[in-house]
Amino acid sequence: MPTLTYLGIEVLRLPFIRATSLGHEVLHNWWGNGVYPDYALGNWSEGLTTFMADYAYKEREGPEAAREMRRGWLRDFAALAPGQDSPLTTFTSRTHGATQIVGYNKAAMVFLMLRDLLGRDMFDRGLHAFWREQRFRIASWADLQRAFETVSGRDLHFFFDQWLKRAGAPTVHLAEAKHSNSDSGNVMAVTVEQGTPEYRLRVPIAIQTDSGEEFRTLDLESARQTFTLNLRGRPLEVILDPDLRIFRRLRPDEAPPILRQVMVDRTTVTVLLAESGEARDAAQMLAMKLQNRAPKLVVADKLPEAPSVVIGLKDQVDAWLAKHQLPGRPEIVDGKGSAQAWTVSRADGITLAVVSARDAASLAAVTRPLPHYGRQSYVIFDGAKVVGRGSWPTRAQAVKVQ
Ligand SMILES: [Zn+2]
């Protein structure tokens, strides 16, 4: 039944569905059930539907809401362990968290970058052409590429190739910025680096000057490139991709850890601080629910050499953190609720998820809810009820101008 998408009445009753999934499912009448994806070559329909429904809602709400959605996508991607993602051409449907992060979110951001590259008008014309040519047919990413190339008259081979056939994401690094004066005024040389394989990227930067902010877009193609810019004011600081418009792997200081990255990492080990009794049983059950597998237990007296879930009662947790010279309980969770969970970045780059509870019953109470809060950096529970949560603040990549 082309163009027909069902949503069960039980689902439709849920309070948030009408503002989120309903629009997404309606749009599938076009993308997925009007033009059918060629699954063998990658399912493009979830990314396009996410971009034109879920993300469009956020854009309608305002630039801040849209940026927060992009930030969430990039942060989720940064929380994937290396090797957990795969190229978009291999995505068929959502089977676990990592496939959503790539098949839905990365793909949606690919459409955003394409729209930034072509302009909104050209992008819309490309989509209209795709619909006219492909409706009620099976179409692939290559057909999308051809539609956008035909209307824009541009060769988009490099764009689709790098974003669809490669796993992972580029890493972009602002290396340095130097100011000099010339006859024409203020000149700045800014050097940008990227990892391998190299991508062709349009990198937005913001430049803080003594007479306000200026914006430029740099066409980055190689591993290290220096761009010379003429500016109106005297430059003070350069900020990389301030609006988070390119799909890239955020650096650890740009994306502080969230609970999920410890939960999904296959190398994660578990430290249970209670040695026996009810607290031990509750901790073990929680460790299993968090990781969706039997936890790999390690002893408490050594600091693990892998990402770790650390679970215990309050005094045990505080003593363990102190013994291993790790940062103590963060102020924002301290003394609040009956149980708390938070992430810790160790100096050596390894991430911990710490769960601390007042007693065994408080630990048991979070077994069911805590796995649903993987996108947070910290969560505070009173019994099974969440009374506080959030993520550690992100920091934009910036460099002072010499
Ligand atoms: Zn969908």
Side-chain angles (χ1 to χ4, degrees), residues 24-25 28 46 49 104:
H24 180 102
E25 299 307 335
H28 269 314
E46 292 301 349
T49 302
Y104 287 60

Short mmCIF file of all heavy atoms in Angstrom, two decimals, residues 24-25 28 46 49 104, ligand 1:
data_model
loop_
_atom_site.label_atom_id
_atom_site.label_comp_id
_atom_site.label_asym_id
_atom_site.label_seq_id
_atom_site.Cartn_x
_atom_site.Cartn_y
_atom_site.Cartn_z
N HIS A 24 7.13 12.65 11.65
CA HIS A 24 8.12 11.75 11.04
C HIS A 24 7.41 10.64 10.26
O HIS A 24 7.73 10.38 9.10
CB HIS A 24 9.00 11.17 12.16
CG HIS A 24 10.06 10.23 11.70
ND1 HIS A 24 11.38 10.60 11.59
CD2 HIS A 24 10.00 8.93 11.31
CE1 HIS A 24 12.08 9.57 11.16
NE2 HIS A 24 11.27 8.54 10.99
N GLU A 25 6.40 10.04 10.89
CA GLU A 25 5.71 8.92 10.22
C GLU A 25 4.89 9.41 9.03
O GLU A 25 4.82 8.73 8.01
CB GLU A 25 4.84 8.15 11.21
CG GLU A 25 5.61 7.51 12.38
CD GLU A 25 6.79 6.64 11.94
OE1 GLU A 25 6.78 6.11 10.81
OE2 GLU A 25 7.73 6.50 12.74
N HIS A 28 7.05 9.77 6.08
CA HIS A 28 7.41 8.49 5.46
C HIS A 28 6.45 8.12 4.32
O HIS A 28 6.77 7.26 3.50
CB HIS A 28 7.42 7.36 6.49
CG HIS A 28 8.75 7.14 7.15
ND1 HIS A 28 9.94 7.09 6.45
CD2 HIS A 28 9.09 6.97 8.46
CE1 HIS A 28 10.93 6.88 7.30
NE2 HIS A 28 10.46 6.81 8.52
N GLU A 46 15.42 7.17 6.19
CA GLU A 46 15.35 7.61 7.59
C GLU A 46 16.06 8.95 7.79
O GLU A 46 15.58 9.81 8.50
CB GLU A 46 15.93 6.55 8.52
CG GLU A 46 15.11 5.27 8.62
CD GLU A 46 13.68 5.47 9.09
OE1 GLU A 46 13.33 6.58 9.55
OE2 GLU A 46 12.89 4.51 8.98
N THR A 49 13.91 11.70 6.17
CA THR A 49 12.71 11.93 6.96
C THR A 49 13.05 12.64 8.27
O THR A 49 12.35 13.56 8.70
CB THR A 49 12.00 10.58 7.23
OG1 THR A 49 11.69 9.99 5.96
CG2 THR A 49 10.73 10.77 8.01
N TYR A 104 20.13 7.50 11.03
CA TYR A 104 19.18 8.60 11.14
C TYR A 104 19.92 9.94 11.25
O TYR A 104 19.69 10.85 10.47
CB TYR A 104 18.29 8.44 12.39
CG TYR A 104 17.24 7.36 12.31
CD1 TYR A 104 17.59 6.02 12.11
CD2 TYR A 104 15.90 7.66 12.46
CE1 TYR A 104 16.62 5.03 12.06
CE2 TYR A 104 14.91 6.67 12.42
CZ TYR A 104 15.29 5.36 12.21
OH TYR A 104 14.33 4.39 12.16
ZN ZN B 1 11.50 6.62 10.33
#
